[in-house]
């Protein structure tokens, strides 16, 4: 976002094979989220879209950290860990807790990056994409999780487009 095409860290497709395609497109979507949030202070990151919505860029970072955790750490790796920002008592905690505080922003990025790193290691170590985890009581393949994650990021990066435009008027790819 807001970079010259020669300086864009994302790929332009051209992947070969299933692994490179799924991993490449997910990586590009993750980079897009970072680019859409680049250069913003805590106040801008926590700025809500329009009332009564609780949607913000910081909320999206927190939400996507939880999505990464849910699908890779909990569903695929079977780890029984507490969710980062949500609970039964506070199902919107990822967005409601997105407050304009530099420490909250830094913690959200640290958590997101930690979950992305876990997911990348998990995928790198998987023998193939037929490896299954559990989505509730149903098995789910790593392939399906990766496709879902691409969709999840693409949808939320669309939200991020509008949020960023509202914050400072910047629009971009």
């Amino acid at each position: 976002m807001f970079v010259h095409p020669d300086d864009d860290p994302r790929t332009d497709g051209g992947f070969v094979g299933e692994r490179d395609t799924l991993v490449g497109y997910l990586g590009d979507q993750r980079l897009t989220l970072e680019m859409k949030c680049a250069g913003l202070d805590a106040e801008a990151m926590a700025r809500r879209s329009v009332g009564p919505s609780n949607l913000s860029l910081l909320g999206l970072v927190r939400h996507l950290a939880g999505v990464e955790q849910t699908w890779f750490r909990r569903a695929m790796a079977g780890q029984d860990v507490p969710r980062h920002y949500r609970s039964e008592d506070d199902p919107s905690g990822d967005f409601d807790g997105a407050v304009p505080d530099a420490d909250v922003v830094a913690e959200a990025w640290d958590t997101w990056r930690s979950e992305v790193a876990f997911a990348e290691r998990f995928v790198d170590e998987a023998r193939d994409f037929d490896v299954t985890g559990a989505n509730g009581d149903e098995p789910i393949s790593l392939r399906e999780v990766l496709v879902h994650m691409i969709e999840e990021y693409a949808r939320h990066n669309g939200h991020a487009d509008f949020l960023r435009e509202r914050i400072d008027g910047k629009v971009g790819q």
Side-chain angles (χ1 to χ4, degrees):
M1 185 171 186
F2 328 123
V3 298
H4 187 276
D6 293 342
D7 298 324
D8 193 332
R10 297 168 297 179
T11 65
D12 195 17
F15 303 112
V16 176
E18 181 183 37
R19 179 174 290 272
D20 286 348
T21 300
L22 294 175
V23 169
Y25 277 105
L26 180 53
D28 284 348
Q29 290 295 322
R30 289 170 172 152
L31 281 170
T32 298
L33 176 68
E34 289 184 287
M35 293 171 74
K36 290 185 184 301
C37 297
L40 296 176
D41 63 14
E43 181 184 332
M45 285 290 293
R47 189 168 304 149
R48 306 292 193 220
S49 57
V50 291
S53 176
N54 63 357
L55 191 64
S56 68
L57 288 170
L58 178 56
L60 288 174
V61 173
R62 290 164 52 101
H63 173 70
L64 288 165
V67 171
E68 294 273 359
Q69 178 196 45
T70 295
W71 287 108
F72 291 103
R73 195 177 293 275
R74 294 170 57 99
M76 293 306 300
Q79 294 182 4
D80 184 20
V81 294
R83 301 208 43 190
H84 288 297
Y85 304 109
R86 304 172 80 170
S87 67
E88 286 186 31
D89 294 337
D90 189 9
S92 296
D94 41 5
F95 291 100
D96 291 341
V99 296
D101 178 296
D103 290 338
V104 172
V105 173
E107 187 275 334
W109 281 119
D110 288 346
T111 301
W112 179 80
R113 287 187 179 102
S114 174
E115 292 303 335
V116 167
F118 179 89
E120 289 174 338
R121 280 190 309 275
F122 186 89
V123 171
D124 286 347
E125 294 170 5
R127 69 180 183 281
D128 59 38
F129 290 160
D130 293 324
V131 169
T132 58
N135 182 16
D137 292 333
E138 298 294 319
I140 189 166
S141 71
L142 179 55
R143 177 181 296 104
E144 188 173 351
V145 167
L146 288 168
V147 171
H148 172 73
M149 291 299 294
I150 293 166
E151 179 273 333
E152 182 89 14
Y153 272 94
R155 180 168 23 96
H156 289 312
N157 283 336
H159 297 139
D161 280 334
F162 291 122
L163 289 163
R164 183 63 189 248
E165 185 175 9
R166 181 166 165 72
I167 291 166
D168 61 10
K170 291 187 177 179
V171 295
Q173 60 276 43

